[in-house]
């Protein structure tokens, strides 16, 4: 089983708050983890990737990875209305070829 | 043109038609991908090409036929499709397949099969 699971939401947060998006995965062979943002009617765009346990920060975004618990999360600080989108979690598995598995996405709405 | 481009952006076809989707990347990448995105379902990886060679075919029905003439161009040939094949078809590219692979997506082709 190589599923990636996300809460589909919708998740609503007020402007300026922290948005927390979570993702779990089932395959312990998963090696790299990605967060993509997809605006309605647009294609996914990469926000962050992480491959080591711990936190990785980039501006207002922080990705957190815990391989033992098989979850990866994305925190968005100081949320802005422009952050309103669907956030896709993806994992890369390379032990049996090159495979990429995506979650169904979490819909985030930032309320002004 | 920059990034990853796809044509056409919208396509309506009957079940007996033959059509092709085109993808071109202007990023100097070596790997290219086809994904299918249906409503309420996760992105599904269909095919992977690296240096023009197909490396992954995820049990995709033969009515979808990919072609990768070079590292910059990728096609998806369609024939005798079914209504359930209606979806957004996304092309992506990356530098290669080693290490962590960051993919860049094109705008997609919205396909409707009547």
């Amino acid at each position: 089983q190589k599923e990636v699971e996300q809460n589909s939401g919708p998740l609503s947060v007020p402007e300026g708050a922290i948005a927390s998006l979570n993702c779990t995965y089932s395959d312990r062979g998963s090696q790299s983890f990605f967060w993509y943002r997809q605006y309605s009617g647009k294609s996914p765009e990469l926000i962050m990737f992480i491959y080591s346990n711990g936190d990785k920060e980039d501006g207002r975004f922080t990705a957190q990875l815990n391989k033992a618990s098989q979850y990866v999360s994305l925190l968005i600080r100081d949320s802005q209305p422009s952050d309103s989108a669907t956030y896709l979690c993806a994992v890369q598995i390379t032990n049996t070829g090159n495979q990429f598995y995506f979650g169904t996405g979490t819909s985030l709405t930032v309320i002004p | 043109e920059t990034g990853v481009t796809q044509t056409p952006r919208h396509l309506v076809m009957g079940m007996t038609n033959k059509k092709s989707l085109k993808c071109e990347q202007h990023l100097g990448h070596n790997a290219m991908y086809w994904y299918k995105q249906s409503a309420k379902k996760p992105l599904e990886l269909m095919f992977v090409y690296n240096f023009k060679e197909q490396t992954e075919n995820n049990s995709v029905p033969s009515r979808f036929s990919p072609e990768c003439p070079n590292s910059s161009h990728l096609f998806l040939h369609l024939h005798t499709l079914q209504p359930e094949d209606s979806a957004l078809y996304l092309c992506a590219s990356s530098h290669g397949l080693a290490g962590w692979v960051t993919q860049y997506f094109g705008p997609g082709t919205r396909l409707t099969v009547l």
Side-chain angles (χ1 to χ4, degrees):
Chain A
Q1 189 180 18
K2 296 182 172 68
E3 289 183 351
V4 176
E5 297 193 30
Q6 297 180 252
N7 186 331
S8 62
L11 173 66
S12 294
V13 299
E15 184 175 355
I18 296 175
S20 177
L21 305 165
N22 299 310
C23 171
T24 59
Y25 59 95
S26 58
D27 193 319
R28 289 193 175 274
S30 301
Q31 295 178 285
S32 301
F33 307 84
F34 306 84
W35 283 100
Y36 288 84
R37 177 176 61 199
Q38 187 172 24
Y39 291 113
S40 180
K42 302 293 185 181
S43 58
E45 57 177 323
L46 181 70
I47 297 176
M48 291 193 71
F49 70 92
I50 186 169
Y51 54 89
S52 298
N53 277 326
D55 296 0
K56 180 181 179 182
E57 186 175 317
D58 184 1
R60 296 187 295 112
F61 299 96
T62 298
Q64 299 174 317
L65 174 62
N66 184 322
K67 289 188 176 182
S69 301
Q70 294 179 249
Y71 84 77
V72 57
S73 63
L74 179 70
L75 300 178
I76 307 175
R77 291 182 300 280
D78 188 24
S79 296
Q80 301 298 308
S82 59
D83 295 326
S84 298
T86 296
Y87 289 80
L88 306 177
C89 172
V91 303
Q92 176 186 356
I93 301 172
T94 58
N95 56 356
T96 54
N98 261 291
Q99 290 292 339
F100 300 86
Y101 296 91
F102 283 74
T104 53
T106 297
S107 175
L108 172 67
T109 300
V110 180
I111 303 168
Chain B
E1 293 275 21
T2 59
V4 181
T5 58
Q6 290 186 244
T7 55
R9 295 293 306 277
H10 300 272
L11 178 62
V12 179
M13 59 187 289
M15 289 191 286
T16 58
N17 292 157
K18 289 185 179 181
K19 296 288 184 183
S20 295
L21 310 185
K22 179 183 176 182
C23 175
E24 184 174 0
Q25 60 91 4
H26 310 267
L27 300 170
H29 290 165
N30 297 309
M32 298 188 77
Y33 313 76
W34 279 118
Y35 282 89
K36 176 184 179 182
Q37 188 173 36
S38 304
K40 307 298 184 185
K41 295 178 70 175
L43 272 167
E44 300 172 55
L45 181 62
M46 301 173 71
F47 303 103
V48 181
Y49 279 83
N50 194 30
F51 291 97
K52 305 188 301 178
E53 299 299 321
Q54 186 178 116
T55 62
E56 303 291 338
N57 176 341
N58 287 343
S59 302
V60 179
S62 59
R63 58 185 184 270
F64 295 91
S65 175
E67 178 189 1
C68 188
N70 54 60
S71 294
S72 298
H73 295 85
L74 185 64
F75 297 88
L76 188 63
H77 304 299
L78 316 171
H79 65 97
T80 59
L81 294 191
Q82 304 299 310
E84 60 265 29
D85 296 322
S86 299
L88 180 67
Y89 288 84
L90 291 162
C91 174
S93 70
S94 66
H95 279 292
L97 296 177
W100 58 91
V101 175
T102 53
Q103 298 173 73
Y104 296 83
F105 285 85
T109 295
R110 174 69 63 184
L111 174 66
T112 302
V113 181
L114 301 177

